């Protein structure tokens, strides 16, 4: 099937914005089609979040596989792709993670040109604070590990933090801020735009995005996948990729797989809009709390999981109280703000806190999941590596370590060393 | 706020408890082999619906209790002592 190359007139550009602006904005076209399912595809991706759509984009754009469908139970982008706090960074300690997330950050840096879509990547810097000598040592170790691998990391002392962010509670008697580890290239991106940008780019290459199409079964013939049962009928496929975040255990169970994963709640909050206050992403070291400011002016923040298995997408109050307490002890001025909105998503927590992108024991079935609460920043590299793994039937070097077999083989990638307790990762 | 009906203390707020995960996994026999040990330590059913789970009442009686809770609605059906079975699911 020939790839659909977008007509020049449909490209987004400053010139186009001007032209549409003076002609009543009547020329914009639908960003992706709403096709009927075909009987068969070369590849079916389950899950129309960022990861599924990015996979389809790279399958079509890099590997020339365009007979692809992304099946999504509701509209695209209402899962974690549309619920996260939009932080992108690559400041990991362990090489398997650093390699992967740094590649992702590099893809973010060129994503707008690749997609012809403004995903509002803003490299405003990500600062992790430390509050004791031992936390400082850990930050130095992490910074060195990053720099050895070619990732940017800067150790910032207390005075410099005070100058950058004068509203922080520097001299909190219990948790004085001694400094921070800054990744200048970290920052944020506009989460919804990432979904829409990948969807539009994949659609341009002929990928069918099938919304309101829930997968209810994975059909096999012997040891091989032959397609998926959906609420819109059976869809045949040579290869099937799973990228359903919080529902990973449930969809994998349709193929008889049992995974080292639990589903947990993660909440996020946004305040009323205020004048520019926070010009980077800050994370507290004395409790789990991170915060940045959106372009609309709201402060967006989050922290720990609620801490028990849940599929409810509904956060609970004890966490809210704890989180607000931590936030106010880092930025006392927060106590004067009103929270406008609060929501929760279902994070697919693994037993070591790291994800997997891999083949499975079933021929033609591929797995992408275990993103915990850090998968937004992974979106481009996850799609890149998953597309590679599906197209070539072997992992890309960047996801070679991210298999589910690692647990059986004793090769955990345990960034936090929290043991096999998904709620503690 | 979850209200957990501790069999020893009565209904208490979740803040008094620590969550300790799936209560249906059982340590295999020492000679059961690597796969059985792997499943015990790592793999979980992770159901969307009723889930039998451990909660440690650390700020109360300090017992571990087994709670049957729905992971979709957060409804709690029963809580029993560590050695007891619940009527609906059994550990
Ligand atoms: C509150 C919150 C804050 C977060 N903050 C950050 C952050 O700051 N930085 C960061 O890097 N990460 C963050 N994350 C994590 C990140 O959002 C996720 O890891 C990432 O979005 C996962 O991407 P995805 O495309 O796999 O998932 P999703 O966007 O959830 O996509 C999965 C899709 O699969 C669909 N699906 C499920 N079951 C089926 C089925 N049976 N049939 C068809 N479709 C199905 C779902 O409807 C969904 O649309 C956060 C997460 C949450 C919840
Ligand atoms: Zn008790």
């Amino acid at each position: 099937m020939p790839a659909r190359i977008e007509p020049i007139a449909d490209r987004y550009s400053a010139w186009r914005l001007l032209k549409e602006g003076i002609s009543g904005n009547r020329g914009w076209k639908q960003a992706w089609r709403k096709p009927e399912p075909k009987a068969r595809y070369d590849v079916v991706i389950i899950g129309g979040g960022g990861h599924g759509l990015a996979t389809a984009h790279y399958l079509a754009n890099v590997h020339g596989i365009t007979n692809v469908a992304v099946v999504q139970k509701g509209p695209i982008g209402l899962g974690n792709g549309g619920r996260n706090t939009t932080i992108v960074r690559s400041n990991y300690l362990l090489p398997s993670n650093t390699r992967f997330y740094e590649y992702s950050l590099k893809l973010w840096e060129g994503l707008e040109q690749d997609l012809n879509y403004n995903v509002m990547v803003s490299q405003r810097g990500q600062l992790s604070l430390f509050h004791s000598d031992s936390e400082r040592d850990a930050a130095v170790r992490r910074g060195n590990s990053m720099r050895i691998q070619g990732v940017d990391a800067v150790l910032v002392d207390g005075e410099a933090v005070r100058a950058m962010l004068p509203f922080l509670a520097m001299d909190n008697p219990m948790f004085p801020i001694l400094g921070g580890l800054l990744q200048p290239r970290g920052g944020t991106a506009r989460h919804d735009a990432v979904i829409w940008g990948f969807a539009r780019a994949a659609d341009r290459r002929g990928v069918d995005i099938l919304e309101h199409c829930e997968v209810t079964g994975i059909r096999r013939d012997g040891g091989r996948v032959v397609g998926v049962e959906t609420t819109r009928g059976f869809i045949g496929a040579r290869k099937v990729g799973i990228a359903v975040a919080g529902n990973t255990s449930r969809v994998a169970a349709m193929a008889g797989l049992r995974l080292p994963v639990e589903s947990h709640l993660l909440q996020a909050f946004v305040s009323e809009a205020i004048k520019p206050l926070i010009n980077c992403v800050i994370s507290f070291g004395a409790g789990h709390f991170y915060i940045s400011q959106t372009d609309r002016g709201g402060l967006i923040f989050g922290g720990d999981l609620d801490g028990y298995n849940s599929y409810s997408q509904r956060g609970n109050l004890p966490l809210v109280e704890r989180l607000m307490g931590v936030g106010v002890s880092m930025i006392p001025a927060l106590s004067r703000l009103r929270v406008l909105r609060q929501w929760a998503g279902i994070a697919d927590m693994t037993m070591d806190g790291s994800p997997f992108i891999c083949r499975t024991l079933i021929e033609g079935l591929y797995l992408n999941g275990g993103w915990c609460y850090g998968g937004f920043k992974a979106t481009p590299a996850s799609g890149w590596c998953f597309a590679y793994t599906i197209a070539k039937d072997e992992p890309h070097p960047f996801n070679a370590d991210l298999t589910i077999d690692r647990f059986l083989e004793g090769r955990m990638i345990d960034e936090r060393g929290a043991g096999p307790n998904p709620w503690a990762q | 706020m979850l209200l957990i009906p501790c069999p020893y203390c009565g209904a208490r707020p979740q803040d008094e408890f620590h969550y300790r995960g799936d209560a249906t996994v059982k340590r295999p026999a020492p000679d059961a082999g690597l796969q059985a040990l792997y499943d015990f330590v790592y793999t979980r059913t992770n159901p969307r619906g009723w889930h039998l789970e451990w909660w440690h009442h650390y700020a109360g009686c300090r017992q571990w209790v087994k709670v049957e809770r729905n992971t979709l609605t957060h409804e709690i059906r029963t809580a029993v002592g560590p050695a007891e079975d619940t009527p609906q699911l059994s550990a």
Side-chain angles (χ1 to χ4, degrees):
Chain A
M1 184 189 157
R4 292 175 1 126
I5 303 295
E6 58 190 312
I8 298 295
D10 221 25
R11 277 188 68 80
Y12 293 165
S13 63
W15 158 243
R16 179 83 192 283
L17 207 56
L18 186 70
K19 177 169 164 256
E20 295 298 340
I22 56 177
S23 61
N25 285 308
R26 280 186 299 265
W28 301 111
K29 298 212 182 68
Q30 196 177 10
W32 60 90
R33 297 161 297 133
K34 308 272 179 197
E36 285 301 313
K38 290 194 267 181
R40 270 191 75 72
Y41 292 91
D42 290 337
V43 180
V44 164
I45 303 293
I46 310 174
H51 291 214
L53 294 163
T55 305
H57 166 68
Y58 293 119
L59 275 172
N61 227 21
V62 177
H63 302 283
I65 302 173
T66 54
N67 186 21
V68 175
V70 177
V71 292
Q72 162 56 36
K73 69 177 168 194
I76 59 170
L78 298 188
N80 291 351
R83 291 168 187 262
N84 64 77
T85 43
T86 79
I87 300 166
V88 301
R89 57 183 176 87
S90 62
N91 52 356
Y92 283 77
L93 173 71
L94 302 177
S96 308
N97 277 332
T98 315
R99 255 196 315 272
F100 173 81
Y101 285 105
E102 175 58 15
Y103 187 59
S104 206
L105 195 53
K106 292 210 170 95
L107 288 174
W108 280 113
E109 287 169 337
L111 197 60
E112 287 155 349
Q113 290 69 28
D114 183 25
L115 299 181
N116 178 230
Y117 206 96
N118 183 6
V119 298
M120 297 168 71
V121 174
S122 162
Q123 293 181 292
R124 55 186 73 181
Q126 199 270 353
L127 180 70
S128 311
L129 301 174
F130 50 78
H131 311 265
S132 65
D133 289 344
S134 54
E135 270 195 347
R136 182 180 186 281
D137 290 347
V140 170
R141 177 169 175 239
R142 178 143 63 112
N144 283 336
S145 167
M146 288 163 63
R147 292 178 68 132
I148 286 169
Q149 296 178 76
V151 181
D152 58 322
V154 181
L155 197 73
V156 186
D157 68 15
E159 281 321 301
V161 171
R162 194 190 295 271
M164 276 170 72
L165 306 164
F167 49 82
L168 291 179
M170 297 296 297
D171 307 313
N172 180 319
M174 241 169 125
F175 309 116
I177 296 171
L178 304 186
L181 185 68
L182 176 71
Q183 183 179 24
R185 286 162 61 243
T188 59
R190 170 90 164 91
H191 55 348
D192 294 326
V194 173
I195 303 279
W196 301 330
F198 274 118
R200 174 170 170 273
D203 176 89
R204 291 295 140 112
R205 292 277 174 181
V207 170
D208 283 356
I209 297 168
L210 306 173
E211 291 171 283
H212 302 286
C213 184
E214 178 170 356
V215 171
T216 53
I218 295 176
R219 198 187 286 181
R220 282 176 285 165
D221 184 7
R224 136 127 261 121
V225 157
V226 294
V228 291
E229 316 282 352
T230 78
T231 48
R232 292 173 75 176
F234 175 76
I235 302 175
R238 263 185 342 105
K239 295 181 174 183
V240 172
I242 300 174
V244 294
N247 285 293
T248 302
S249 296
R250 296 182 64 222
V251 175
M254 292 174 191
L257 300 176
R258 197 178 144 89
L259 303 179
V261 170
E262 284 182 4
S263 297
H264 282 266
L265 283 172
L266 184 65
Q267 304 194 43
F269 304 82
V270 68
S271 78
E272 59 192 312
I274 53 172
K275 287 183 178 171
L277 176 73
I278 301 180
N279 61 2
C280 62
V281 179
I282 317 170
S283 56
F284 200 37
H288 198 177
F289 181 85
Y290 52 85
I291 189 165
S292 64
Q293 188 164 18
T294 70
D295 295 339
R296 270 183 288 191
L299 302 186
I300 177 158
F301 52 93
D304 273 325
L305 300 172
D306 275 44
Y308 45 84
N309 291 43
S310 177
Y311 284 89
S312 70
Q313 291 188 312
R314 201 152 40 81
N316 213 332
L317 289 172
L319 187 278
V320 179
E321 187 179 9
R322 200 161 67 231
L323 190 84
M324 300 297 166
V326 175
V328 169
S329 62
M330 176 172 120
I331 305 177
L334 284 186
S335 65
R336 306 289 297 275
L337 279 181
R338 275 165 295 208
V339 170
L340 285 194
R341 287 185 297 126
Q342 168 270 2
W343 63 93
I346 306 300
D348 38 339
M349 302 300 299
T350 59
M351 290 283 177
D352 62 357
S354 296
F356 32 78
I357 305 175
C358 56
R359 297 190 301 170
T360 67
L361 291 175
I362 298 159
E363 211 185 321
L365 185 68
Y366 305 82
L367 192 59
N368 174 314
W371 292 102
C372 300
Y373 37 70
F376 175 67
K377 69 175 95 66
T379 306
S382 166
W384 181 278
C385 292
F386 201 36
Y388 187 101
T389 306
I390 293 171
K392 307 219 184 256
D393 249 315
E394 63 181 32
H396 188 276
F398 294 135
N399 65 310
D401 293 344
L402 305 179
T403 63
I404 27 174
D405 304 339
R406 69 175 181 266
F407 296 96
L408 189 57
E409 294 162 0
R411 296 185 289 106
M412 267 68 73
I413 309 172
D414 48 349
E415 194 77 26
R416 250 189 113 180
N421 302 312
W423 60 88
Q425 299 297 344
Chain B
M1 177 76 80
L2 303 177
L3 274 183
I4 299 176
C6 174
Y8 310 104
C9 312
R12 308 294 306 171
Q14 78 183 78
D15 270 357
E16 295 183 3
F17 295 80
H18 279 147
Y19 183 68
R20 298 304 303 168
D22 189 336
T24 63
V25 288
K26 281 257 193 307
R27 178 182 288 276
D31 56 358
L34 187 61
Q35 185 68 38
L37 198 65
Y38 160 73
D39 279 328
F40 164 64
V41 179
Y42 295 113
T43 67
R44 297 292 178 263
T45 310
N46 191 20
R48 182 172 178 264
W50 292 105
H51 189 230
L52 191 64
E53 57 199 25
W54 291 114
W55 289 82
H56 177 209
H57 197 183
Y58 76 96
C61 61
R62 301 195 61 81
Q63 283 288 336
W64 285 50
V65 296
K66 263 196 287 195
V67 178
E68 212 173 321
R69 186 182 57 90
N70 191 304
T71 61
L72 190 59
T73 62
H74 293 179
E75 185 191 341
I76 292 176
R77 198 151 63 178
T78 27
V80 296
E84 290 166 59
D85 280 344
T86 54
Q88 285 90 352
L89 290 169
S90 63

